[in-house]
Amino acid sequence: DKSGVLIVKILEIFEECTLQVAICQQLEQSPSMLLPEDAVINEGEPILKVLFARETAAHLKSRPQDVIHIYPPWQKLLLKNTDVPVIMNTYFSQKVLLGEHSEKREKTYGLTKMLIRKNIISLAQTFSLDDLDDELHQKSSDNQVACDPQAHNNCDSQQHPLAPSDVNDSLLEMVENQGAMGWREAQVRVVIQRVYCLPAREGYRSHVQGNKPLCATPSPLSNGGMFCRLCLLVQDAYGMFSEVQLQSLPSADHLEQYCRRWEGKFCCLAGMKILQRTTRGRALGLFSLIDSLWPPVVPVKVPGQSQDSEMMTTDLPPPSFCYILTVQSGEIHVEVDEEEQISNLYQPPAVCGLKEILQIDGCHERCSFWAQVLYLRLQTKHSVPINQREVWLFVTDSTLQNVAQTTPKVVAVSVAASCVLRPEITGALSAASRLIFFKDALWGNGEIICVERTVLLLQKPLLCSTAGADLSELTGPVRLDELDSTTQANSICAVRGTVVGVNESTAFSWPTCDRCGNGKLEQCPQDRGLLYCNQCSDVVISPILKMQLEVFLSCPSRPQSTVKVKVWHEVSFGVLSRVRPGNYEVQSVLGKEVGLLNCYVHSVTSHPNCVVLEEIALL
């Protein structure tokens, strides 16, 4: 009833660039005494295009045939080459309900959600570039049909919001058009470059199917109690990357299967929601993986240019940002075309020998290699929970074993707690030495680290680039570096020397069961002179005596150093093999020649000049 109020009746609604666009007919006055269906509009009445912001549209919940009052200060924009004015600044708008029939219809429609057609406007269309692909996109947009909620199940394939005609090939364009709330009615076609698992703790547990952890009990190697989610690193036709975090796996055992089936294949993403827009400075680990896949191996499209082959290029700066996407609950999220051939855009892991990796000058470089695991050791900081401690794997390959003394024979690989280790891997390493494929490990500051997005596999991938690297398997016995002046802490080496002293205060022995190896034997209740094993529930007639002894060696390779070695009877063949069980006479050990002992280096100090070792058994 106030002057300046614009009264319109909605004929059609669609969404474009996050705005809701309503095609309306202007009414001279509010049909207060008529139903909206009975408000006959003359063809001579002006047609308007009314723009509603996302918040206003959500408040109005408008549908075709609704009557809307738009209050000042609305504005009219007249465009060249068109007769339809555009109404803007419509923040003060109100839907008018006319009569009981309208109120009843509003309550009924309020229970269902209307599907709004979305027009995807590409940059090529904006800049009027003449390109066949753009014409196809335009046609697909024109052919979109908004399904009525009641007739949604009857829509044919051409009308379905996930029909192939709606597939886009630009992640950035999809994000800009669909907004941060995500997209449901469109798909984007991308190439899966990598498949991996990320750890998910605490807050993510509510999303875990069945709420089951990977392991029932924490284990030093199993990421016990840690949930994980399957993730994809995808790349679109323009070279842009995005990380897609899918729902969690009940177990990480199937990761190797997903890697073989999905990597390099095209997939269509739908029902995505933006978790985060991250940058290089905030996600060094993610961008180190992206950098290893840059530049593209084939020319990619350039936004805003014609997509003829001569306009495509690989000479582009590396990405500076990346969208982290996740699935929206209840949607069909990822459709992988496993029957299709491998995409030309896919970059398989470039496999190097360990010798080549040790010569890389850069920092935070991703690397992939095939190596034999000789020994593993869990971090021993008691202040750190057991499932958060890092694991050290000591590995070697033919490129290290078949070279001169200039390079180490064995390399330590740190497996951070954030690297999800599959039970299949941990079980294999617990049993014996194994060849392991390390995919996308991180090299920097002289160390190889398995971090988030690093995958350990028992088999080589079907596709990998070797670039002439020597990947032959080891045939002869493995050699360790001998202790010398270059030996560093947290390494393994071979030691030879002469026993010059014994730390008698730390020497001890204990009996173990000869059947199961149980080291916690008790006195037999019936005969106090015999030992009893609770695990076997039987008397132990011939217990095996295990011993520990700390000896000091004189080593020709480190003549100025004090070398202290903790030796064990169950692994030692150089010292305790000459000691009778229960006999710790110093004279039986002093002056004996030792070597070669396989040892782990606990510490190397210069003041005092001392090396502390522990005898180990290789896998």
Side-chain angles (χ1 to χ4, degrees):
D1 299 331
K2 296 180 181 179
S3 62
V5 176
L6 179 64
I7 304 172
V8 297
K9 181 177 181 179
I10 296 178
L11 304 178
E12 180 188 355
I13 297 177
F14 61 91
E15 188 175 303
E16 187 171 303
C17 300
T18 75
L19 291 175
Q20 190 178 96
V21 183
I23 307 300
C24 306
Q25 272 188 315
Q26 183 177 354
L27 305 182
E28 293 184 359
Q29 59 183 359
S30 177
S32 56
M33 303 304 294
L34 299 175
L35 299 177
E37 294 82 352
D38 300 331
V40 179
I41 306 301
N42 296 326
E43 293 183 0
E45 295 289 350
I47 300 295
L48 303 175
K49 185 179 290 187
V50 183
L51 306 184
F52 294 107
R54 182 190 294 270
E55 296 80 4
T56 307
H59 172 71
L60 291 175
K61 300 179 181 177
S62 301
R63 298 172 180 272
Q65 304 303 318
D66 283 346
V67 174
I68 305 294
H69 285 196
I70 304 173
Y71 295 89
W74 56 268
Q75 294 177 310
K76 180 185 291 187
L77 179 67
L78 301 177
L79 301 177
K80 292 182 180 181
N81 304 323
T82 180
D83 297 330
V84 181
V86 178
I87 305 300
M88 305 185 302
N89 200 19
T90 58
Y91 300 104
F92 301 101
S93 300
Q94 182 180 12
K95 183 192 297 188
V96 179
L97 299 180
L98 305 174
E100 296 181 359
H101 181 74
S102 293
E103 293 182 6
K104 183 178 179 181
R105 184 172 69 99
E106 185 67 21
K107 291 181 180 179
T108 303
Y109 282 174
L111 299 176
T112 59
K113 183 177 180 180
M114 181 178 178
L115 297 178
I116 304 295
R117 173 169 59 92
K118 295 185 180 181
N119 283 355
I120 299 176
I121 309 299
S122 69
L123 290 175
Q125 288 176 252
T126 303
F127 290 101
S128 302
L129 298 176
D130 184 15
D131 182 71
L132 179 60
D133 290 339
D134 301 325
E135 294 178 6
L136 291 176
H137 280 300
Q138 180 64 47
K139 290 179 181 178
S140 67
S141 297
D142 294 340
N143 291 334
Q144 293 183 58
V145 177
C147 299
D148 184 89
Q150 296 178 349
H152 177 62
N153 293 331
N154 299 325
C155 295
D156 59 27
S157 61
Q158 291 182 345
Q159 295 172 327
H160 196 279
L162 294 184
S165 62
D166 294 335
V167 175
N168 201 335
D169 63 354
S170 170
L171 283 164
L172 185 58
E173 186 174 295
M174 186 65 68
V175 168
E176 289 179 344
N177 284 322
Q178 303 297 326
M181 295 303 293
W183 63 85
R184 295 174 183 266
E185 298 146 30
Q187 297 187 50
V188 59
R189 191 169 190 256
V190 292
V191 175
I192 301 175
Q193 291 285 3
R194 292 292 185 271
V195 180
Y196 46 81
C197 283
L198 288 179
R201 305 178 184 90
E202 299 173 359
Y204 193 80
R205 296 189 179 192
S206 60
H207 301 285
V208 176
Q209 298 175 355
N211 208 27
K212 297 178 181 178
L214 291 182
C215 304
T217 56
S219 166
L221 297 177
S222 64
N223 302 80
M226 179 186 293
F227 297 79
C228 72
R229 56 184 177 268
L230 184 67
C231 298
L232 311 177
L233 182 65
V234 300
Q235 188 177 22
D236 67 7
Y238 294 81
M240 180 178 174
F241 289 90
S242 183
E243 183 177 74
V244 182
Q245 299 184 357
L246 305 178
Q247 291 185 358
S248 67
L249 291 172
S251 170
D253 274 338
H254 301 295
L255 176 61
E256 189 162 346
Q257 186 181 38
Y258 284 115
C259 290
R260 287 180 172 270
R261 288 169 46 193
W262 287 4
E263 284 191 1
K265 301 296 180 67
F266 284 101
C267 79
C268 288
L269 304 178
M272 295 291 112
K273 182 174 66 175
I274 300 174
L275 271 185
Q276 182 186 9
R277 180 187 184 275
T278 190
T279 59
R280 185 174 297 272
R282 291 186 293 179
L284 290 176
L286 173 60
F287 277 89
S288 67
L289 181 55
I290 291 175
D291 288 343
S292 70
L293 303 171
W294 197 264
V297 290
V298 295
V300 294
K301 296 182 179 181
V302 180
Q305 294 186 12
S306 173
Q307 303 311 327
D308 296 333
S309 58
E310 60 268 15
M311 297 301 295
M312 301 173 72
T313 182
T314 59
D315 187 19
L316 294 171
S320 59
F321 66 92
C322 176
Y323 283 102
I324 310 297
L325 306 177
T326 187
V327 293
Q328 300 196 59
S329 178
E331 296 291 329
I332 299 174
H333 313 300
V334 179
E335 294 182 7
V336 182
D337 191 349
E338 298 183 24
E339 302 299 325
E340 192 169 350
Q341 292 184 347
I342 299 295
S343 167
N344 292 332
L345 191 60
Y346 173 59
Q347 293 198 50
V351 183
C352 303
L354 287 172
K355 179 183 177 182
E356 182 181 349
I357 294 174
L358 297 180
Q359 296 171 349
I360 297 177
D361 294 330
C363 189
H364 299 296
E365 299 279 343
R366 292 281 178 165
C367 57
S368 300
F369 56 94
W370 180 251
Q372 185 89 25
V373 180
L374 303 178
Y375 178 67
L376 61 88
R377 192 174 188 91
L378 178 67
Q379 181 190 48
T380 55
K381 292 182 179 179
H382 297 290
S383 59
V384 180
I386 190 169
N387 62 327
Q388 296 180 19
R389 299 179 189 177
E390 62 180 348
V391 178
W392 288 92
L393 302 179
F394 296 86
V395 303
T396 189
D397 68 357
S398 58
T399 67
L400 297 184
Q401 291 289 313
N402 300 334
V403 296
Q405 300 294 330
T406 54
T407 57
K409 294 284 188 294
V410 179
V411 174
V413 176
S414 171
V415 181
S418 60
C419 177
V420 178
L421 283 179
R422 298 181 296 118
E424 184 181 7
I425 296 289
T426 58
L429 292 178
S430 299
S433 176
R434 289 297 299 264
L435 278 166
I436 300 292
F437 182 70
F438 296 79
K439 186 172 71 174
D440 299 321
L442 196 62
W443 163 261
N445 299 322
E447 289 185 343
I448 300 176
I449 309 173
C450 296
V451 293
E452 289 184 354
R453 304 175 183 88
T454 300
V455 178
L456 274 62
L457 304 171
L458 290 176
Q459 298 180 10
K460 294 179 185 177
L462 295 176
L463 289 177
C464 60
S465 173
T466 59
D470 181 10
L471 302 180
S472 58
E473 297 186 10
L474 300 175
T475 55
V478 173
R479 295 176 296 162
L480 304 186
D481 297 292
E482 288 199 32
L483 178 69
D484 59 17
S485 58
T486 63
T487 301
Q488 298 180 350
N490 194 39
S491 64
I492 60 176
C493 64
V495 180
R496 69 171 79 238
T498 304
V499 179
V500 294
V502 177
N503 187 354
E504 296 184 78
S505 62
T506 61
F508 64 93
S509 65
W510 67 100
T512 62
C513 177
D514 58 342
R515 291 181 296 269
C516 67
N518 178 22
K520 297 181 180 180
L521 302 183
E522 302 174 358
Q523 287 185 332
C524 182
Q526 291 79 14
D527 188 343
R528 308 293 292 181
L530 297 176
L531 296 176
Y532 183 81
C533 177
N534 284 321
Q535 293 186 8
C536 298
S537 301
D538 199 357
V539 175
V540 180
I541 303 298
S542 304
I544 297 175
L545 195 65
K546 293 188 177 181
M547 296 178 284
Q548 175 188 308
L549 193 65
E550 287 185 353
V551 299
F552 297 91
L553 301 182
S554 172
C555 299
S557 57
R558 289 193 70 123
Q560 306 300 322
S561 301
T562 300
V563 179
K564 181 170 68 172
V565 183
K566 179 188 293 185
V567 293
W568 304 87
H569 181 271
E570 61 265 32
V571 295
S572 178
F573 295 97
V575 177
L576 294 183
S577 60
R578 295 182 172 88
V579 180
R580 290 183 293 107
N583 182 3
Y584 290 101
E585 294 295 333
V586 174
Q587 298 302 322
S588 64
V589 176
L590 292 179
K592 303 297 182 182
E593 295 292 331
V594 175
L596 289 166
L597 291 181
N598 296 327
C599 294
Y600 171 78
V601 184
H602 278 281
S603 64
V604 179
T605 59
S606 55
H607 301 286
N609 194 339
C610 180
V611 180
V612 179
L613 310 173
E614 177 184 347
E615 187 182 15
I616 60 173
L618 300 181
L619 293 174

PDB file of all heavy atoms in Angstrom, residues 460-486:
ATOM      1  N   LYS A 460      54.702 -53.704  -6.509  1.00  0.00           N
ATOM      2  CA  LYS A 460      54.916 -52.527  -7.332  1.00  0.00           C
ATOM      3  C   LYS A 460      53.617 -52.158  -8.042  1.00  0.00           C
ATOM      4  O   LYS A 460      52.824 -53.024  -8.392  1.00  0.00           O
ATOM      5  CB  LYS A 460      56.003 -52.793  -8.388  1.00  0.00           C
ATOM      6  CG  LYS A 460      57.389 -53.020  -7.825  1.00  0.00           C
ATOM      7  CD  LYS A 460      58.378 -53.289  -8.954  1.00  0.00           C
ATOM      8  CE  LYS A 460      59.757 -53.634  -8.430  1.00  0.00           C
ATOM      9  NZ  LYS A 460      60.709 -53.976  -9.530  1.00  0.00           N
ATOM     10  N   PRO A 461      53.393 -50.859  -8.247  1.00  0.00           N
ATOM     11  CA  PRO A 461      52.195 -50.471  -8.999  1.00  0.00           C
ATOM     12  C   PRO A 461      52.291 -50.953 -10.442  1.00  0.00           C
ATOM     13  O   PRO A 461      53.384 -51.172 -10.976  1.00  0.00           O
ATOM     14  CB  PRO A 461      52.200 -48.939  -8.904  1.00  0.00           C
ATOM     15  CG  PRO A 461      53.621 -48.579  -8.633  1.00  0.00           C
ATOM     16  CD  PRO A 461      54.185 -49.699  -7.825  1.00  0.00           C
ATOM     17  N   LEU A 462      51.111 -51.101 -11.055  1.00  0.00           N
ATOM     18  CA  LEU A 462      51.082 -51.571 -12.441  1.00  0.00           C
ATOM     19  C   LEU A 462      51.767 -50.576 -13.365  1.00  0.00           C
ATOM     20  O   LEU A 462      52.419 -50.952 -14.345  1.00  0.00           O
ATOM     21  CB  LEU A 462      49.632 -51.791 -12.879  1.00  0.00           C
ATOM     22  CG  LEU A 462      48.875 -52.898 -12.141  1.00  0.00           C
ATOM     23  CD1 LEU A 462      47.431 -52.947 -12.604  1.00  0.00           C
ATOM     24  CD2 LEU A 462      49.549 -54.238 -12.347  1.00  0.00           C
ATOM     25  N   LEU A 463      51.613 -49.298 -13.067  1.00  0.00           N
ATOM     26  CA  LEU A 463      52.244 -48.248 -13.865  1.00  0.00           C
ATOM     27  C   LEU A 463      53.213 -47.482 -12.995  1.00  0.00           C
ATOM     28  O   LEU A 463      52.860 -46.984 -11.930  1.00  0.00           O
ATOM     29  CB  LEU A 463      51.186 -47.288 -14.427  1.00  0.00           C
ATOM     30  CG  LEU A 463      50.275 -47.826 -15.524  1.00  0.00           C
ATOM     31  CD1 LEU A 463      49.252 -46.777 -15.900  1.00  0.00           C
ATOM     32  CD2 LEU A 463      51.084 -48.237 -16.740  1.00  0.00           C
ATOM     33  N   CYS A 464      54.455 -47.397 -13.428  1.00  0.00           N
ATOM     34  CA  CYS A 464      55.437 -46.582 -12.731  1.00  0.00           C
ATOM     35  C   CYS A 464      56.537 -46.231 -13.719  1.00  0.00           C
ATOM     36  O   CYS A 464      56.787 -46.944 -14.693  1.00  0.00           O
ATOM     37  CB  CYS A 464      56.014 -47.286 -11.502  1.00  0.00           C
ATOM     38  SG  CYS A 464      56.870 -48.833 -11.855  1.00  0.00           S
ATOM     39  N   SER A 465      57.177 -45.101 -13.474  1.00  0.00           N
ATOM     40  CA  SER A 465      58.251 -44.624 -14.331  1.00  0.00           C
ATOM     41  C   SER A 465      59.580 -44.894 -13.642  1.00  0.00           C
ATOM     42  O   SER A 465      59.831 -44.394 -12.540  1.00  0.00           O
ATOM     43  CB  SER A 465      58.073 -43.114 -14.589  1.00  0.00           C
ATOM     44  OG  SER A 465      59.181 -42.602 -15.279  1.00  0.00           O
ATOM     45  N   THR A 466      60.426 -45.713 -14.267  1.00  0.00           N
ATOM     46  CA  THR A 466      61.695 -46.084 -13.635  1.00  0.00           C
ATOM     47  C   THR A 466      62.852 -45.202 -14.066  1.00  0.00           C
ATOM     48  O   THR A 466      63.828 -45.074 -13.339  1.00  0.00           O
ATOM     49  CB  THR A 466      62.038 -47.544 -13.956  1.00  0.00           C
ATOM     50  OG1 THR A 466      62.127 -47.702 -15.384  1.00  0.00           O
ATOM     51  CG2 THR A 466      60.954 -48.470 -13.416  1.00  0.00           C
ATOM     52  N   ALA A 467      62.763 -44.603 -15.246  1.00  0.00           N
ATOM     53  CA  ALA A 467      63.802 -43.685 -15.744  1.00  0.00           C
ATOM     54  C   ALA A 467      65.188 -44.323 -15.678  1.00  0.00           C
ATOM     55  O   ALA A 467      66.170 -43.681 -15.313  1.00  0.00           O
ATOM     56  CB  ALA A 467      63.783 -42.377 -14.957  1.00  0.00           C
ATOM     57  N   GLY A 468      65.294 -45.608 -16.002  1.00  0.00           N
ATOM     58  CA  GLY A 468      66.585 -46.270 -16.056  1.00  0.00           C
ATOM     59  C   GLY A 468      67.157 -46.673 -14.719  1.00  0.00           C
ATOM     60  O   GLY A 468      68.318 -47.083 -14.633  1.00  0.00           O
ATOM     61  N   ALA A 469      66.374 -46.572 -13.622  1.00  0.00           N
ATOM     62  CA  ALA A 469      66.881 -46.935 -12.299  1.00  0.00           C
ATOM     63  C   ALA A 469      67.078 -48.444 -12.205  1.00  0.00           C
ATOM     64  O   ALA A 469      66.324 -49.234 -12.785  1.00  0.00           O
ATOM     65  CB  ALA A 469      65.920 -46.453 -11.218  1.00  0.00           C
ATOM     66  N   ASP A 470      68.102 -48.850 -11.455  1.00  0.00           N
ATOM     67  CA  ASP A 470      68.387 -50.265 -11.241  1.00  0.00           C
ATOM     68  C   ASP A 470      67.470 -50.783 -10.140  1.00  0.00           C
ATOM     69  O   ASP A 470      67.665 -50.486  -8.962  1.00  0.00           O
ATOM     70  CB  ASP A 470      69.856 -50.448 -10.849  1.00  0.00           C
ATOM     71  CG  ASP A 470      70.205 -51.921 -10.643  1.00  0.00           C
ATOM     72  OD1 ASP A 470      69.367 -52.790 -10.984  1.00  0.00           O
ATOM     73  OD2 ASP A 470      71.316 -52.200 -10.145  1.00  0.00           O
ATOM     74  N   LEU A 471      66.443 -51.537 -10.502  1.00  0.00           N
ATOM     75  CA  LEU A 471      65.472 -52.039  -9.538  1.00  0.00           C
ATOM     76  C   LEU A 471      65.568 -53.553  -9.372  1.00  0.00           C
ATOM     77  O   LEU A 471      64.616 -54.205  -8.961  1.00  0.00           O
ATOM     78  CB  LEU A 471      64.056 -51.656  -9.975  1.00  0.00           C
ATOM     79  CG  LEU A 471      63.794 -50.157 -10.152  1.00  0.00           C
ATOM     80  CD1 LEU A 471      62.362 -49.917 -10.577  1.00  0.00           C
ATOM     81  CD2 LEU A 471      64.114 -49.391  -8.882  1.00  0.00           C
ATOM     82  N   SER A 472      66.724 -54.110  -9.689  1.00  0.00           N
ATOM     83  CA  SER A 472      66.901 -55.555  -9.551  1.00  0.00           C
ATOM     84  C   SER A 472      66.898 -55.943  -8.076  1.00  0.00           C
ATOM     85  O   SER A 472      67.351 -55.191  -7.209  1.00  0.00           O
ATOM     86  CB  SER A 472      68.220 -55.982 -10.204  1.00  0.00           C
ATOM     87  OG  SER A 472      69.314 -55.286  -9.624  1.00  0.00           O
ATOM     88  N   GLU A 473      66.369 -57.127  -7.803  1.00  0.00           N
ATOM     89  CA  GLU A 473      66.280 -57.590  -6.421  1.00  0.00           C
ATOM     90  C   GLU A 473      67.636 -58.094  -5.938  1.00  0.00           C
ATOM     91  O   GLU A 473      68.497 -58.498  -6.713  1.00  0.00           O
ATOM     92  CB  GLU A 473      65.226 -58.692  -6.304  1.00  0.00           C
ATOM     93  CG  GLU A 473      63.818 -58.217  -6.638  1.00  0.00           C
ATOM     94  CD  GLU A 473      62.789 -59.295  -6.365  1.00  0.00           C
ATOM     95  OE1 GLU A 473      63.161 -60.311  -5.746  1.00  0.00           O
ATOM     96  OE2 GLU A 473      61.632 -59.116  -6.768  1.00  0.00           O
ATOM     97  N   LEU A 474      67.801 -58.067  -4.601  1.00  0.00           N
ATOM     98  CA  LEU A 474      69.054 -58.516  -4.004  1.00  0.00           C
ATOM     99  C   LEU A 474      69.154 -60.036  -4.119  1.00  0.00           C
ATOM    100  O   LEU A 474      68.186 -60.755  -3.881  1.00  0.00           O
ATOM    101  CB  LEU A 474      69.120 -58.089  -2.538  1.00  0.00           C
ATOM    102  CG  LEU A 474      69.052 -56.582  -2.278  1.00  0.00           C
ATOM    103  CD1 LEU A 474      69.009 -56.302  -0.781  1.00  0.00           C
ATOM    104  CD2 LEU A 474      70.240 -55.871  -2.912  1.00  0.00           C
ATOM    105  N   THR A 475      70.333 -60.507  -4.464  1.00  0.00           N
ATOM    106  CA  THR A 475      70.540 -61.949  -4.623  1.00  0.00           C
ATOM    107  C   THR A 475      71.468 -62.525  -3.561  1.00  0.00           C
ATOM    108  O   THR A 475      71.247 -63.621  -3.062  1.00  0.00           O
ATOM    109  CB  THR A 475      71.125 -62.245  -6.015  1.00  0.00           C
ATOM    110  OG1 THR A 475      72.324 -61.476  -6.204  1.00  0.00           O
ATOM    111  CG2 THR A 475      70.111 -61.881  -7.096  1.00  0.00           C
ATOM    112  N   GLY A 476      72.507 -61.795  -3.184  1.00  0.00           N
ATOM    113  CA  GLY A 476      73.469 -62.292  -2.203  1.00  0.00           C
ATOM    114  C   GLY A 476      73.142 -61.820  -0.803  1.00  0.00           C
ATOM    115  O   GLY A 476      72.123 -61.169  -0.556  1.00  0.00           O
ATOM    116  N   PRO A 477      74.004 -62.142   0.160  1.00  0.00           N
ATOM    117  CA  PRO A 477      73.804 -61.686   1.541  1.00  0.00           C
ATOM    118  C   PRO A 477      73.921 -60.171   1.643  1.00  0.00           C
ATOM    119  O   PRO A 477      74.664 -59.529   0.904  1.00  0.00           O
ATOM    120  CB  PRO A 477      74.922 -62.395   2.319  1.00  0.00           C
ATOM    121  CG  PRO A 477      75.962 -62.697   1.284  1.00  0.00           C
ATOM    122  CD  PRO A 477      75.226 -62.958   0.012  1.00  0.00           C
ATOM    123  N   VAL A 478      73.167 -59.602   2.565  1.00  0.00           N
ATOM    124  CA  VAL A 478      73.151 -58.148   2.761  1.00  0.00           C
ATOM    125  C   VAL A 478      74.360 -57.741   3.595  1.00  0.00           C
ATOM    126  O   VAL A 478      74.693 -58.372   4.606  1.00  0.00           O
ATOM    127  CB  VAL A 478      71.850 -57.720   3.458  1.00  0.00           C
ATOM    128  CG1 VAL A 478      71.902 -56.243   3.813  1.00  0.00           C
ATOM    129  CG2 VAL A 478      70.663 -58.013   2.568  1.00  0.00           C
ATOM    130  N   ARG A 479      75.022 -56.676   3.148  1.00  0.00           N
ATOM    131  CA  ARG A 479      76.165 -56.131   3.882  1.00  0.00           C
ATOM    132  C   ARG A 479      75.785 -54.832   4.568  1.00  0.00           C
ATOM    133  O   ARG A 479      75.105 -53.995   3.990  1.00  0.00           O
ATOM    134  CB  ARG A 479      77.336 -55.881   2.929  1.00  0.00           C
ATOM    135  CG  ARG A 479      77.922 -57.136   2.284  1.00  0.00           C
ATOM    136  CD  ARG A 479      79.009 -56.753   1.302  1.00  0.00           C
ATOM    137  NE  ARG A 479      78.473 -55.963   0.192  1.00  0.00           N
ATOM    138  CZ  ARG A 479      79.234 -55.218  -0.611  1.00  0.00           C
ATOM    139  NH1 ARG A 479      80.534 -55.141  -0.407  1.00  0.00           N
ATOM    140  NH2 ARG A 479      78.680 -54.548  -1.606  1.00  0.00           N
ATOM    141  N   LEU A 480      76.243 -54.681   5.824  1.00  0.00           N
ATOM    142  CA  LEU A 480      76.048 -53.432   6.557  1.00  0.00           C
ATOM    143  C   LEU A 480      77.337 -52.628   6.544  1.00  0.00           C
ATOM    144  O   LEU A 480      78.432 -53.175   6.370  1.00  0.00           O
ATOM    145  CB  LEU A 480      75.631 -53.702   8.010  1.00  0.00           C
ATOM    146  CG  LEU A 480      74.380 -54.561   8.246  1.00  0.00           C
ATOM    147  CD1 LEU A 480      74.055 -54.578   9.740  1.00  0.00           C
ATOM    148  CD2 LEU A 480      73.194 -54.045   7.455  1.00  0.00           C
ATOM    149  N   ASP A 481      77.220 -51.320   6.750  1.00  0.00           N
ATOM    150  CA  ASP A 481      78.409 -50.480   6.906  1.00  0.00           C
ATOM    151  C   ASP A 481      79.104 -50.849   8.210  1.00  0.00           C
ATOM    152  O   ASP A 481      78.446 -51.027   9.251  1.00  0.00           O
ATOM    153  CB  ASP A 481      78.005 -49.005   6.940  1.00  0.00           C
ATOM    154  CG  ASP A 481      77.357 -48.559   5.640  1.00  0.00           C
ATOM    155  OD1 ASP A 481      78.071 -48.500   4.625  1.00  0.00           O
ATOM    156  OD2 ASP A 481      76.145 -48.279   5.639  1.00  0.00           O
ATOM    157  N   GLU A 482      80.423 -50.931   8.165  1.00  0.00           N
ATOM    158  CA  GLU A 482      81.164 -51.192   9.398  1.00  0.00           C
ATOM    159  C   GLU A 482      81.303 -49.914  10.205  1.00  0.00           C
ATOM    160  O   GLU A 482      81.340 -48.804   9.660  1.00  0.00           O
ATOM    161  CB  GLU A 482      82.553 -51.764   9.078  1.00  0.00           C
ATOM    162  CG  GLU A 482      82.495 -53.194   8.575  1.00  0.00           C
ATOM    163  CD  GLU A 482      83.830 -53.908   8.709  1.00  0.00           C
ATOM    164  OE1 GLU A 482      84.573 -53.591   9.679  1.00  0.00           O
ATOM    165  OE2 GLU A 482      84.132 -54.758   7.867  1.00  0.00           O
ATOM    166  N   LEU A 483      81.354 -50.063  11.527  1.00  0.00           N
ATOM    167  CA  LEU A 483      81.523 -48.919  12.422  1.00  0.00           C
ATOM    168  C   LEU A 483      82.807 -48.182  12.078  1.00  0.00           C
ATOM    169  O   LEU A 483      83.886 -48.766  11.995  1.00  0.00           O
ATOM    170  CB  LEU A 483      81.575 -49.415  13.868  1.00  0.00           C
ATOM    171  CG  LEU A 483      81.807 -48.342  14.937  1.00  0.00           C
ATOM    172  CD1 LEU A 483      80.593 -47.432  15.063  1.00  0.00           C
ATOM    173  CD2 LEU A 483      82.141 -48.997  16.279  1.00  0.00           C
ATOM    174  N   ASP A 484      82.672 -46.844  11.855  1.00  0.00           N
ATOM    175  CA  ASP A 484      83.854 -46.020  11.589  1.00  0.00           C
ATOM    176  C   ASP A 484      83.570 -44.596  12.035  1.00  0.00           C
ATOM    177  O   ASP A 484      82.574 -44.320  12.723  1.00  0.00           O
ATOM    178  CB  ASP A 484      84.248 -46.079  10.112  1.00  0.00           C
ATOM    179  CG  ASP A 484      83.139 -45.599   9.185  1.00  0.00           C
ATOM    180  OD1 ASP A 484      82.203 -44.934   9.670  1.00  0.00           O
ATOM    181  OD2 ASP A 484      83.201 -45.885   7.977  1.00  0.00           O
ATOM    182  N   SER A 485      84.404 -43.664  11.624  1.00  0.00           N
ATOM    183  CA  SER A 485      84.293 -42.273  12.078  1.00  0.00           C
ATOM    184  C   SER A 485      83.069 -41.556  11.509  1.00  0.00           C
ATOM    185  O   SER A 485      82.670 -40.508  12.015  1.00  0.00           O
ATOM    186  CB  SER A 485      85.556 -41.500  11.696  1.00  0.00           C
ATOM    187  OG  SER A 485      85.756 -41.540  10.293  1.00  0.00           O
ATOM    188  N   THR A 486      82.454 -42.106  10.458  1.00  0.00           N
ATOM    189  CA  THR A 486      81.286 -41.462   9.859  1.00  0.00           C
ATOM    190  C   THR A 486      79.969 -42.007  10.401  1.00  0.00           C
ATOM    191  O   THR A 486      78.907 -41.502  10.038  1.00  0.00           O
ATOM    192  CB  THR A 486      81.300 -41.647   8.328  1.00  0.00           C
ATOM    193  OG1 THR A 486      81.199 -43.045   8.016  1.00  0.00           O
ATOM    194  CG2 THR A 486      82.580 -41.076   7.730  1.00  0.00           C
TER     195      THR A 486
END
